[in-house]
Amino acid sequence: MALQDVCGFLETLDDISPCTYLPSEMGYMWRTPFEFDRDSAFHFLFPPQQCRRKNRAPTLFSSAFSSLSPHQQPFHLSHGTTTLGFIFQDGVIAAADTRASCKGLICCPISQKIMPIHSHLVVNTSGSGADCMLWERILTREMRLYQLRHRKRLSVNGAAKLLSMMLHPFKGTNVCVAATLCGWDGDETQEALQSCMEIADVKEAMEHGTSVSTILNKSALGSEKMASINEQDAHALKPTVSDQNTKNVLSTFGGWSGPRVCYVCSDGLQLKGEIISVGSGSPYAYAVLDDGWRWGMTVDEAVALAREAVFRATHWDAYSGNNVDLFHITAHGWRRRDREDLKEEYYRERERKKKMIKDREKERQKREGGELAEGEGDIYSVCCR
Amino acid sequence: MISAQAYGENGKMKEYHYTGPVEHKFSPYAFNGGTVLAVAGEDFAIVASDTRLSEGYSIHSRDSPKCYKLTDTTVLGCSGFHGDCLTLTKIIDARLKMYKHSNNKTMTSGAIAAMLSTILYGRRFFPYYVYNIIGGLDEEGRGAVYSFDPVGSYQRDTYKAGGSASAMLQPLLDNQIGFKNMENVEEVPLTLEKAVQLVKDVFISAAERDVYTGDALKICIITKEGIREEIVPLRKD
């Protein structure tokens, strides 16, 4: 690669790449870029390059794409949103608003920003609508191919890396995709899981002192450890993959299984974390989430928290609004909550505030009435009687 | 001949007060105006467009409809840059023929919509400046409307307005067809006669307030019997 750069080898890419030439009236040639992807679905057409710089050493991937100067587009693509995803002890919650705006006009008040990829993975998309739609389809295709070839599902981190690599050639162009992958990593092979559980059981029992509720029938070593550490809960459980507690344990120790949230951006940024929120309304959502998030939340608490975060974000951010979509992913797969119109929530909020004011009034009057009753010698109180 | 450089984006004339030296660059796009509307009912679909072709302060033609018949059950409405509209419809016609020859059946509305999305995204870095709306009947005979943005993002709707007067028409459709923002309303399903009357009224209002909309209105009504066309005159000023 270094030699290529020095010699300017890739500069002659125009000659060696398989292109279809269509002369335009200006005399420039249209080019299609070389196939960076062996089975790329797209042949992108580019306008003629305005300035060709000699001695430019492009990187392997981005030569064709980042050097173009796109013509000024007379329209704007849809942007602006609030999406969030977080993990907790019982899975992953993914929530988003449903407004798709386009520089001041709401193109679509009922768009769907959370799209399921497979049974245990859901992606929150934000950025340009068309880009998100297409890249989500490409990712679904690649995940399915992986699953067919390797007979197991690709993990959330793996999917994030894959998407990041696919988006890399477009770095520098105005492709704008910010995707949050929310899913549950589940290992299909049980042996690997059980060996993991052994180690995890010991650690968990020692550190947290909570009960570990699985018995490994296969490994006697495991039960010995169990018995020595924790006499209380040795109730038998099938060593199934869908044991929530174990999942919790494993994910805490960076194991192979559990809830996961991963952020991928078309700039190339990749983040892992517990709470991720993207979009113009994300500061407001983060404020609510940071306040209320605990690992040990129940499902209802988590759902309420996500809903509240999106609601507050839609209230403050002009580019978010309309409805809230909510998905909950567990080891059994994803489940979708009915889309809820936030308009009603505003009315309920107003009722609650009215009620609070009334209660406060009553309190104040009670207090004042009490004070008056105490000061009997006062001339004012005599008049009030 | 009218210089393309006198027009800024969106077809409006640029300021003529001198603000300093300006670099003029060739823009491959122009804005030719026009409004398209599509409504889907229980067993029908309507696609309507005005027939004015304008550029800046001039009208190029009063008889340039923007509805293109694709198959017996699908009509495409495209507004924006007329050059890209023509090329896009030629490409779609070619792809429809190819599909017919290799698969021995006509493309369904949903399939045409998905295909159009990939055609548009293929030009992600030099887009077709066209706002498309497809109206037709799906496989079960129900009305379907698919609306697109210039780079191929699409979804299925019940009604959609696109083009220069879309911002004026969409709220009205939200209220009359979607019954939004109305209290205690009985949601009756839309009949064909009411839908056609609504479309005519809505375009008459658009012609009142939008300079790029007017001259005549062409309505394509798609039912299982076929496609029927109606032409209604609008304001010519």
Side-chain angles (χ1 to χ4, degrees):
Chain A
M1 301 299 162
L3 192 57
Q4 272 177 343
D5 286 356
V6 167
C7 303
F9 174 72
L10 288 173
E11 235 241 281
T12 56
L13 205 56
D14 302 341
D15 304 325
I16 59 175
S17 59
C19 296
T20 55
Y21 286 98
L22 300 164
S24 73
E25 60 181 17
M26 303 269 296
Y28 291 111
M29 301 293 212
W30 296 108
R31 345 182 253 125
T32 56
F34 67 97
E35 305 286 318
F36 61 90
D37 197 17
R38 63 183 181 283
D39 48 350
S40 164
F42 291 109
H43 298 266
F44 287 108
L45 200 66
F46 292 98
Q49 277 184 306
Q50 308 291 1
C51 50
R52 288 171 189 261
R53 293 190 337 259
K54 290 279 175 194
N55 301 323
R56 184 175 51 83
T59 65
L60 179 63
F61 281 128
S62 56
S63 56
F65 294 85
S66 59
S67 54
L68 56 85
S69 47
H71 289 281
Q72 191 65 26
Q73 284 172 10
F75 48 80
H76 292 257
L77 305 172
S78 30
H79 273 262
T81 185
T82 306
T83 69
L84 58 94
F86 60 86
I87 58 175
F88 66 111
Q89 56 90 13
D90 199 11
V92 192
I93 298 278
D97 72 318
T98 60
R99 175 175 288 186
S101 55
C102 182
K103 203 205 175 194
L105 177 67
I106 296 176
C107 305
C108 181
I110 44 166
S111 62
Q112 196 190 356
K113 298 184 189 176
I114 311 184
M115 294 185 257
I117 302 226
H118 60 62
S119 59
H120 288 72
L121 181 62
V122 131
V123 61
N124 279 358
T125 51
S126 71
S128 158
D131 292 330
C132 289
M133 193 177 272
L134 257 302
W135 283 106
E136 184 266 336
R137 283 176 77 184
I138 293 172
L139 182 66
T140 311
R141 183 190 69 171
E142 293 300 321
M143 301 278 295
R144 182 74 183 135
L145 284 173
Y146 184 94
Q147 191 180 353
L148 291 169
R149 288 176 185 144
H150 298 89
R151 268 182 273 140
K152 67 178 167 97
R153 285 196 303 266
L154 188 57
S155 65
V156 177
N157 288 340
K161 285 191 196 120
L162 183 63
L163 185 60
S164 181
M165 284 299 292
M166 291 197 289
L167 282 171
H168 180 75
F170 297 94
K171 188 172 162 71
T173 65
N174 65 346
V175 168
C176 181
V177 176
T180 311
L181 298 163
C182 310
W184 186 286
D185 286 342
D187 213 349
E188 306 291 327
T189 58
Q190 295 213 354
E191 289 88 38
L193 192 59
Q194 285 175 354
S195 57
C196 223
M197 271 157 39
E198 283 177 4
I199 310 163
D201 285 348
V202 176
K203 279 195 190 153
E204 152 100 348
M206 287 203 303
E207 289 195 25
H208 297 276
T210 54
S211 61
V212 181
S213 54
T214 355
I215 282 194
L216 311 162
N217 349 8
K218 280 193 184 170
S219 125
L221 189 58
S223 354
E224 267 180 2
K225 280 189 191 155
M226 279 261 321
S228 62
I229 290 164
N230 228 326
E231 283 94 33
Q232 330 173 22
D233 317 282
H235 60 271
L237 210 75
K238 285 199 300 298
T240 56
V241 180
S242 57
D243 181 9
Q244 306 275 357
N245 256 345
T246 329
K247 288 287 175 296
N248 169 23
V249 161
L250 292 172
S251 67
T252 321
F253 298 105
W256 301 345
S257 183
R260 285 267 188 281
V261 143
C262 227
Y263 169 70
V264 179
C265 179
S266 49
D267 294 339
L269 181 64
Q270 230 185 305
L271 294 173
K272 297 191 244 287
E274 287 160 347
I275 305 174
I276 292 181
S277 175
V278 184
S280 50
S282 64
Y284 311 108
Y286 272 126
V288 176
L289 288 172
D290 286 337
D291 189 44
W293 184 86
R294 285 173 301 115
W295 175 263
M297 288 192 292
T298 63
V299 176
D300 291 331
E301 282 174 3
V303 164
L305 180 68
R307 211 176 131 273
E308 182 70 11
V310 175
F311 172 59
R312 296 294 166 200
T314 58
H315 178 53
W316 285 109
D317 180 32
Y319 291 98
S320 312
N322 296 100
N323 307 330
V324 57
D325 272 340
L326 228 142
F327 276 67
H328 177 214
I329 304 119
T330 55
H332 302 285
W334 57 261
R335 222 179 53 230
R336 187 192 175 156
R337 203 166 161 271
D338 281 335
R339 171 172 283 192
E340 188 186 340
D341 193 346
L342 289 173
K343 188 176 61 171
E344 300 301 320
E345 186 62 26
Y346 282 108
Y347 291 121
R348 282 198 287 268
E349 174 89 15
R350 204 172 56 169
E351 292 304 313
R352 278 200 294 267
K353 280 218 168 68
K354 268 200 226 152
K355 194 167 162 300
M356 233 168 36
I357 292 173
K358 245 193 285 180
D359 288 342
R360 235 183 274 155
E361 246 332 286
K362 269 196 243 151
E363 292 278 317
R364 201 167 62 85
Q365 283 181 356
K366 249 192 270 175
R367 254 186 296 129
E368 280 187 3
E371 280 168 10
L372 287 171
E374 280 175 14
E376 279 191 319
D378 211 6
I379 45 167
Y380 294 111
S381 60
V382 170
C383 299
C384 287
R385 295 270 184 89
Chain B
M1 201 190 81
I2 301 160
S3 157
Q5 291 168 349
Y7 302 106
E9 35 170 61
N10 213 23
K12 304 195 176 74
M13 287 287 237
K14 283 197 233 173
E15 311 281 333
Y16 59 84
H17 299 292
Y18 184 69
T19 45
V22 179
E23 181 190 347
H24 289 281
K25 214 167 152 195
F26 170 71
S27 166
Y29 295 115
F31 181 68
N32 293 119
T35 308
V36 185
L37 175 62
V39 178
E42 251 321 296
D43 56 353
F44 66 90
I46 298 176
V47 179
S49 77
D50 72 323
T51 59
R52 173 175 288 184
L53 191 74
S54 44
E55 186 171 353
Y57 286 161
S58 325
I59 295 179
H60 287 317
S61 164
R62 294 192 193 275
D63 187 21
S64 163
K66 297 161 188 68
C67 308
Y68 300 93
K69 178 170 168 294
L70 297 179
T71 66
D72 282 332
T73 53
T74 318
V75 172
L76 169 67
C78 25
S79 67
F81 173 40
H82 193 62
D84 277 345
C85 292
L86 293 174
T87 306
L88 190 61
T89 44
K90 278 188 203 134
I91 290 177
I92 294 174
D93 279 336
R95 293 285 294 264
L96 285 173
K97 279 205 191 86
M98 281 158 57
Y99 184 96
K100 182 80 196 289
H101 289 143
S102 47
N103 297 288
N104 202 23
K105 62 177 178 124
T106 42
M107 276 184 102
T108 57
S109 298
I112 295 177
M115 181 184 73
L116 181 56
S117 172
T118 46
I119 292 174
L120 291 171
Y121 200 82
R123 293 272 297 246
R124 171 68 176 81
F125 300 107
F126 186 27
Y128 290 111
Y129 180 16
V130 188
Y131 293 93
N132 297 292
I133 304 182
I134 288 182
L137 301 177
D138 65 6
E139 291 97 341
E140 292 151 28
R142 281 202 294 265
V145 163
Y146 296 92
S147 62
F148 295 76
D149 82 346
V151 274
S153 161
Y154 79 105
Q155 64 170 59
R156 184 170 174 173
D157 290 313
T158 317
Y159 53 87
K160 185 80 176 165
S164 57
S166 60
M168 287 181 216
L169 300 184
Q170 190 67 28
L172 186 53
L173 295 177
D174 281 336
N175 183 267
Q176 290 297 308
I177 304 180
F179 302 109
K180 298 251 178 87
N181 303 312
M182 289 208 279
E183 300 285 323
N184 305 320
V185 59
E186 187 200 329
E187 298 196 13
V188 288
L190 197 63
T191 61
L192 179 58
E193 292 76 23
K194 188 157 184 293
V196 171
Q197 190 52 48
L198 186 65
V199 166
K200 288 179 188 165
D201 290 339
V202 138
F203 263 92
I204 290 171
S205 315
E208 293 287 323
R209 287 289 183 176
D210 182 33
V211 302
Y212 300 110
T213 306
D215 292 332
L217 165 66
K218 180 168 172 193
I219 309 182
C220 300
I221 302 165
I222 307 145
T223 51
K224 60 181 193 306
E225 278 96 42
I227 301 182
R228 198 180 84 224
E229 289 176 2
E230 247 186 78
I231 303 211
V232 173
L234 293 176
R235 286 181 78 112
K236 293 187 175 3
D237 57 0

